[in-house]
Amino acid sequence: MLIILGLGVVPVAWSLVLSFQADDLVTPSHWVGLDNYAALAQDPHFAQAVGNTVLYTVLYVPLSILFGFLLAQALNRRIRLVGVYRTLVFVPFVLSATAQGVLFSFILDPQFGAANSLLHHLGVSPQGFLTDPAQALLVLVGITLWSGTGFCVVVYLAALQDVPPSLVEAARLDGAGTWRVLRHVTLPAVTPVTAFLVLWQLITSLQVFDLVYVTTKGGPLGSTTVIVYFVWEQAFKNFTAGYGAASAYVLALALLVVVVAVRVLRRPGKALR
């Protein structure tokens, strides 16, 4: 209990108080009320960070769930070396975001990276990847899909193996093809798992930080600055801890809204009652 209070409850409460103060972590702080939140509403850099985070989430969450389900369907069969294939799909998820960032920083280096070397042999002009403002965020989404889809695959595999075979056999005996079995048997059976994955991936995408910090540092030109990186930058780089705490609580409120929305959509009947 003391550990939970010391590492969880106390910092949360202290940062809430800090969000109403001007604090540079060195000199004594002073109360500013809602000024930090008002400044956030007018800060173009915060607006850019919110936009980047929303775009990252909109791209990553549905694609990771879709690819995870399709791969799980493909691996939920009795094929040779299926255990090896499942392991290879899941291994990237085990790697830390820092290791992923270092790996892909080498691969996608504009001058010496293997990616541009391959494109050169294919007759394609070199790409900027993480150094191009138009490509950097999309590249980060691709890296995260490479690593994060494995989690969805494992969860969906467990769900698919719990689908009663008798239901599938009954549907096929009634003349249902592959698409109808998928639509009327498989998808309804894995709906609770899908709701869990949507919530999990939403929270994960809204909290992305490590990969951004290792690869782009929020650049180029702020094109990959996400909310959590913005919080870190304000608090520990610009030494405006109160401003950073305020932006962190804006993120916390957004996460709360997401959780409530998913629960309401998951149980519309109960929500109405």
Side-chain angles (χ1 to χ4, degrees):
M1 290 180 63
L2 290 176
I3 292 174
I4 293 173
L5 287 173
L7 299 180
V9 178
V10 172
V12 168
W14 177 74
S15 61
L16 177 61
V17 174
L18 187 64
S19 69
F20 298 104
Q21 298 178 343
D23 193 328
D24 60 3
L25 300 177
V26 179
T27 60
S29 60
H30 61 275
W31 193 264
V32 295
L34 296 174
D35 288 357
N36 287 328
Y37 293 94
L40 281 174
Q42 301 175 357
D43 189 344
H45 298 292
F46 180 70
Q48 184 183 28
V50 171
N52 291 338
T53 306
V54 170
L55 178 59
Y56 177 90
T57 301
V58 167
L59 292 174
Y60 171 67
V61 174
L63 288 177
S64 65
I65 292 175
L66 176 62
F67 292 157
F69 180 76
L70 294 178
L71 285 171
Q73 281 281 93
L75 296 175
N76 189 36
R77 301 179 182 182
R78 295 181 179 179
I79 56 178
R80 188 180 180 184
L81 301 178
V82 65
V84 175
Y85 301 145
R86 292 173 180 175
T87 302
L88 291 175
V89 169
F90 186 69
V91 163
F93 177 74
V94 181
L95 297 178
S96 68
T98 302
Q100 297 169 31
V102 172
L103 172 65
F104 280 96
S105 292
F106 282 109
I107 294 175
L108 301 175
D109 185 272
Q111 295 181 338
F112 308 107
N116 270 333
S117 177
L118 177 61
L119 291 178
H120 174 72
H121 288 294
L122 295 175
V124 180
S125 59
Q127 302 296 310
F129 296 119
L130 294 172
T131 60
D132 186 343
Q135 298 180 6
L137 188 64
L138 299 178
V139 172
L140 290 182
V141 172
I143 295 173
T144 317
L145 284 173
W146 173 77
S147 61
T149 302
F151 176 76
C152 297
V153 172
V154 170
V155 175
Y156 269 130
L157 270 174
L160 290 172
Q161 292 173 4
D162 282 341
V163 176
S166 58
L167 291 179
V168 178
E169 293 174 5
R172 293 194 183 280
L173 288 174
D174 288 339
T178 303
W179 168 247
R180 288 187 177 273
V181 171
L182 177 65
R183 179 181 177 185
H184 297 289
V185 178
T186 306
L187 289 179
V190 301
T191 296
V193 169
T194 302
F196 161 75
L197 286 175
V198 168
L199 182 58
W200 181 273
Q201 297 294 73
L202 277 171
I203 293 174
T204 301
S205 61
L206 290 174
Q207 293 181 326
V208 62
F209 170 76
D210 301 20
L211 187 62
V212 174
Y213 181 81
V214 174
T215 55
T216 63
K217 296 289 192 299
L221 302 177
S223 60
T224 60
T225 299
V226 290
I227 294 181
V228 177
Y229 186 83
F230 179 87
V231 172
W232 173 85
E233 193 173 43
Q234 297 304 315
F236 301 108
K237 188 175 180 180
N238 299 337
F239 294 102
T240 53
Y243 194 59
S247 56
Y249 266 90
V250 171
L251 173 60
L253 180 61
L255 289 173
L256 178 62
V257 170
V258 166
V259 171
V260 172
V262 171
R263 290 181 66 87
V264 169
L265 293 174
R266 179 72 182 86
R267 298 185 297 177
K270 293 183 180 181
L272 290 175
R273 290 195 297 268

